[in-house]
Amino acid sequence: MASVFLYHVVADLTVGKPELVEFCETETVEAAIKAIGDSTECGIPVWKRKTHAGIENTEMRQQRFVGILNSLDIVAFFAKSECLEDHDKALKTPVSEVVAHNNSLLRQVDPGTRLIDALEMMKHGVKRLLVRKSVVWQGMSKRFSILYNGKWLKNMDTSSSSNNLGPSSNRPSSSTTTSARDKFCCLSREDVIRFLIGCLGALAPLPLSSISSVGAINPNYNSIEATSAAIEATQKLPEDPCAIAVLEQSQDGQYKIIGEISASKLWKCDHLAAAWALANLSGGQFVMGVEDNVSSRSLKDFSVNQAAGNHNLANGGGSTKPKKFSSRSIGFNAANPSLAVSRSMYRGRSAPLTCKVTSSLAAVMAQMLSHRATHVWVTEDESDDVLVGVVGYADIMVAVTKQPSSVVPPPGRSTENSGIVNDVHN
C-alpha cells in the first residue's frame, strides 16, 4: 500500500474547495439546469429542506440527502412525450420528480478520515464526501495525519488543536470556529484523482503500468447500436459511469464505438434541443450530427416556445421561429457537415474519449482530468475503435489501492492483450 494513502487525510483535499450551497428538491428543473452549468461537476447533490432550526447531527443530514442530478437525467426527462408537448410545464417541474433517489451516493466524513478509507467508500459507490470546513484544518497537511497508540486521530477540538498551531496569534477565534461548524464542502472522485495524479512518484511504478495489467478495464458497459433509436439509451440509465456507448457494427462483425450519450457530454448542452434529438433520432444520428443541409434525411421542424428561448435552453436564443434540428443546437460541432463521409474522419465535440488497452494508468487519469470526463472508453490495441470496455473513477481507485502482489505485470506479448479482448467479448 502506497504511503500516500496512509499519511494523508481528506482535509488535505479540501483546501480551496468552495462552501457547499444546498440545492433543494423543491427547486425547478429550470433552476437545476443553471446550477449544473455553473457547477464544477456535471451533476449536483439534491437535498430535502431543513424541517427545524439548529444544529443537525450527521444522521439527520444524511437523511436529508436525496441523490445526484445530472444533465442526462434532465435530457431523458425532457425527451418524454408530455414534456416535448409542454416545455413550460417541464421546466417548472420540481427536481424531486426527476432526480434518481439514492441516499448512498454521499457520505459525511470527518476531516481526519484517512485517504485510504475515503477511497474504500468511493470504490463501493460513494460519489461525494461531505467534509466540514474548519478553520483549524485549513492549510494543514500531514500535521494531523499521525497514528497515536494504534488509533487514527480524528478532528480535534479547538483547544487541543491550537496547541499544535504555534503562537496564539495564529489561533482561530472561538466565534470563527463556531461559524464554521455548519459549513461544509463536497469532495468528488475527480478531486481525489486530481490529488493522486500529483502524487505519481509515490505510486510508482503503478502509474506506468498498462490499464489492462492493473485490471482497470471494466467490461460491463451500457451500449446501443447506431441504428437503434437514441431514446433506447434512457430505458435504464447507468449509474457509474453515467454513459451509454453508441456502437456501429463493422463488416467483420466487430462493434466499433462512434460516440456516446452521457452526462459529461451533455453537461453544458441545450437540454431541450438534445431531448428532441433523443426522442426523434437514431443513436448514430444523435452522436454523429445531423445538419440542416442533409437533404436525404427528412426531419420535422423543431421549434421552441418563447419561455424556453428566453432562458437560452434551446437553440441558443429567444426567437420562436421554427428551426430544423441541427447538431449545432445541441452543442455538437462536426468538422464535416455531411454524414456521407467516412465516420473515421469525424472530429467533433461529440467524439468519444478513448484509449488503448496498452495505455498507461497515468495517461488515462490525465485524459479524464484534461477533458473533465468521468470515464474513458477502451479500444483494442490492434484495431481502431473496437470497444473493449470502459475505465471510470471507481476502476482507477480499485487499481491504485491493490496490493502489489495482485497487480499483474505488463504483458510482454500481444497474445496476452488479445486474450483480454476475447474474454470481454465472451
Side-chain angles (χ1 to χ4, degrees), residues 10-334:
V10 294
D12 299 339
L13 282 65
T14 63
V15 178
K17 290 291 290 184
E19 179 185 345
L20 171 70
V21 177
E22 292 186 0
F23 189 87
C24 185
E25 64 174 352
T26 57
E27 295 281 355
T28 64
V29 174
E30 183 178 0
I33 292 174
K34 184 179 186 305
I36 292 174
D38 293 340
S39 70
T40 57
E41 311 285 341
C42 60
I44 54 172
V46 178
W47 301 80
K48 295 178 182 177
R49 196 177 298 276
K50 281 186 178 181
T51 57
H52 65 282
I55 299 176
E56 59 182 355
N57 57 34
T58 301
E59 183 179 353
M60 295 166 61
R61 190 175 294 106
Q62 184 71 43
Q63 290 301 318
R64 285 200 304 110
F65 174 70
V66 178
I68 296 178
L69 181 70
N70 60 50
S71 293
L72 183 54
D73 295 325
I74 295 176
V75 171
F77 171 72
F78 281 162
K80 296 179 179 179
S81 57
E82 58 269 26
C83 295
L84 291 174
E85 294 172 359
D86 192 343
H87 294 156
D88 281 332
K89 183 178 179 181
L91 290 169
K92 301 303 179 185
T93 302
V95 164
S96 58
E97 298 182 20
V98 182
V99 63
H101 291 238
N102 190 341
N103 186 260
S104 64
L105 296 180
L106 178 141
R107 184 79 58 85
Q108 181 176 338
V109 297
D110 189 274
T113 302
R114 294 184 304 171
L115 182 57
I116 184 62
D117 296 326
L119 284 170
E120 285 298 320
M121 296 179 200
M122 289 183 163
K123 282 162 53 176
H124 293 91
V126 175
K127 293 186 176 181
R128 296 285 196 281
L129 294 178
L130 190 64
V131 187
R132 189 183 302 276
K133 288 182 71 69
S134 170
V135 176
V136 174
W137 282 90
Q138 284 183 356
M140 299 299 168
S141 180
K142 298 182 181 179
R143 186 185 298 272
F144 297 102
S145 306
I146 56 176
L147 288 169
Y148 182 72
N149 288 338
K151 294 183 179 180
W152 194 262
L153 291 183
K154 296 296 182 181
N155 192 11
M156 295 173 277
D157 57 31
T158 305
S159 59
S160 61
S161 300
S162 60
N163 294 331
N164 295 324
L165 295 177
S168 59
S169 59
N170 292 330
R171 299 176 186 175
S173 66
S174 58
S175 60
T176 304
T177 306
T178 303
S179 63
R181 218 172 259 170
D182 285 331
K183 293 182 179 180
F184 293 85
C185 66
C186 251
L187 284 180
S188 67
R189 295 181 296 179
E190 181 181 334
D191 294 321
V192 175
I193 298 299
R194 185 178 292 108
F195 178 82
L196 292 180
I197 207 168
C199 306
L200 292 182
L203 299 176
L206 187 67
L208 296 181
S209 302
S210 68
I211 53 175
S212 60
S213 66
V214 299
I217 303 175
N218 182 4
N220 302 313
Y221 55 86
N222 288 49
S223 65
I224 62 170
E225 292 194 28
T227 55
S228 303
I231 196 66
E232 290 185 10
T234 66
Q235 290 179 354
K236 187 179 180 181
L237 294 178
E239 290 187 357
D240 191 27
C242 190
I244 302 95
V246 180
L247 306 179
E248 184 178 57
Q249 189 172 15
S250 59
Q251 293 180 350
D252 56 2
Q254 294 182 309
Y255 284 92
K256 297 186 176 183
I257 182 170
I258 62 172
E260 67 174 74
I261 302 173
S262 66
S264 56
K265 283 292 183 183
L266 297 172
W267 183 3
K268 297 181 184 294
C269 74
D270 290 324
H271 291 72
L272 289 176
W276 182 93
L278 201 65
N280 291 277
L281 302 179
S282 69
Q285 289 174 328
F286 185 89
V287 300
M288 298 300 294
V290 177
E291 303 300 325
D292 293 347
N293 60 351
V294 181
S295 58
S296 60
R297 306 208 178 258
S298 175
L299 299 175
K300 69 178 183 179
D301 284 344
F302 166 54
S303 61
V304 294
N305 55 37
Q306 186 70 33
N310 286 340
H311 287 90
N312 196 30
L313 296 177
N315 293 330
S319 174
T320 58
K321 180 182 178 181
K323 290 183 63 179
K324 187 169 288 186
F325 171 77
S326 168
S327 61
R328 287 188 295 270
S329 63
I330 301 182
F332 292 169
N333 299 309

Side-chain angles (χ1 to χ4, degrees), residues 206-218 355-361 364 378-381 388 390-391 399 402 406-414 416-421 424:
L206 187 67
L208 296 181
S209 302
S210 68
I211 53 175
S212 60
S213 66
V214 299
I217 303 175
N218 182 4
C355 67
K356 301 291 186 182
V357 292
T358 53
S359 297
S360 68
L361 185 64
V364 173
V378 185
T379 61
E380 288 184 4
D381 190 36
V388 171
V390 66
V391 177
K402 278 185 178 179
S406 65
V407 177
V408 181
R413 294 178 299 173
S414 59
E416 297 183 26
N417 280 343
S418 61
I420 295 173
V421 173
V424 170

